[in-house]
Amino acid sequence: MAFFDDINNIMYVVLGVIGLIVIILLIFALKGTFSDVKLKRKAKSLGFRTIKEMHSRQSEGFESKPEFDNISSLGFTDKQEFLFGEKLGTRTQEEMYKKLNQTVKDLLDLMEDYKIDLPKLDNEVTLVLSLDKMTEISEEFTQKQTIFNKLREEVNSYPKEKVIDQSKINIPKEIKDLQNETAAKLYSVKNTLDVRMEYVTERTSIVELLNQFRPNVPVNLNRVGEISKLSLKDVESFLKDIVEVNPEIGEYLELEQVFIRKTDTEIQIDELLNQFQKWEVEGEGKKK
């Protein structure tokens, strides 16, 4: 009897364990069912037909079916491409790629124009003697440089954008070489501008200094150089130019190395510089 009692007890234990396992499985099954029901309701509320569709679209960045439908209707292939287009200020994919290609064209057209404009500007600068004109040209050049750098930076960023379909952007292979050529021309003009600006500024400063001297008082060349902080060679050359343009202003005694102003009349800077510029154009005077 004891043997059968032991078997019964074992069977009770086994059945109890099996029952517990069944209960646990039922709980998990019910939990899974409730979870599915909840997800199905969520998918439906967001406009998706199935849970799978919801998970698929949300992994692509879409929050709801209407959002996916709207973005797809605008021609965009995914959410990231749409956001990139939105950042550019374009509404559709077609508008976005049209704008991207227009920027590339703008850069190419600008570089083509600069092939003529920059050498012309470089030549023009070497004949300018007016400080106001030099300032105007410098501002114009800075604007040219800024526009080029902005377009170049923008176009060069396109190949790095993973959200862009590169096959839809018409970037020529030689664009890097064209950019380097244009950058070299800009650098050359910038160097010419800097040198010429210094030269023009020095000439203007000497005229302004001479306007402060009293008439009939000899001023030593060394004194002019000391005050202007320019080389004696440059000061002497400029003084000779001044008296040649307008002798009534004064005279420069080369042997004594002194300048004597003859009049109280203010020396007209523009008048002098215009004559100096004419000399340079004609290859006379200082360029003689």
Side-chain angles (χ1 to χ4, degrees), residues 18-171:
I18 293 173
L20 181 61
I21 292 173
V22 170
I23 291 171
I24 293 172
L25 289 175
L26 285 172
I27 291 172
F28 277 107
L30 289 172
K31 185 177 180 181
T33 300
F34 290 140
S35 178
D36 285 346
V37 170
K38 187 176 180 180
L39 284 174
K40 285 179 180 179
R41 287 177 179 173
K42 181 180 179 181
K44 186 176 180 180
S45 68
L46 295 175
F48 298 110
R49 289 178 292 110
T50 63
I51 297 174
K52 183 179 180 180
E53 183 186 17
M54 179 180 71
H55 286 160
S56 175
R57 296 308 178 199
Q58 288 185 340
S59 67
E60 296 170 354
F62 300 104
E63 292 296 327
S64 66
K65 184 69 162 51
E67 182 186 40
F68 169 76
D69 291 340
N70 178 56
I71 290 175
S72 297
S73 69
L74 298 175
F76 295 103
T77 56
D78 55 46
K79 180 73 172 290
Q80 293 305 311
E81 189 182 51
F82 166 76
L83 292 175
F84 185 83
E86 196 174 52
K87 183 180 177 181
L88 286 178
T90 55
R91 185 173 179 275
T92 66
Q93 187 198 62
E94 183 180 359
E95 288 179 5
M96 183 185 79
Y97 284 105
K98 184 177 180 181
K99 184 170 184 177
L100 293 174
N101 280 303
Q102 183 60 52
T103 302
V104 175
K105 185 177 183 303
D106 289 345
L107 176 60
L108 293 172
D109 290 344
L110 184 74
M111 292 190 292
E112 189 64 29
D113 291 341
Y114 280 8
K115 285 182 180 180
I116 299 174
D117 293 347
L118 292 179
K120 182 179 177 182
L121 181 61
D122 196 52
N123 290 331
E124 180 186 354
V125 167
T126 59
L127 298 175
V128 175
L129 279 164
S130 165
L131 189 56
D132 288 341
K133 182 64 175 176
M134 279 300 304
T135 302
E136 180 184 327
I137 292 176
S138 294
E139 290 174 352
E140 177 188 338
F141 172 79
T142 299
Q143 186 176 13
K144 286 179 179 293
Q145 196 171 39
T146 300
I147 293 172
F148 169 72
N149 289 336
K150 181 180 179 181
L151 287 174
R152 178 177 61 172
E153 183 179 348
E154 189 170 344
V155 171
N156 288 346
S157 71
Y158 295 162
K160 302 173 186 178
E161 296 289 351
K162 296 181 180 179
V163 300
I164 296 178
D165 184 349
Q166 300 299 326
S167 65
K168 294 183 178 181
I169 306 180
N170 304 316
I171 301 179

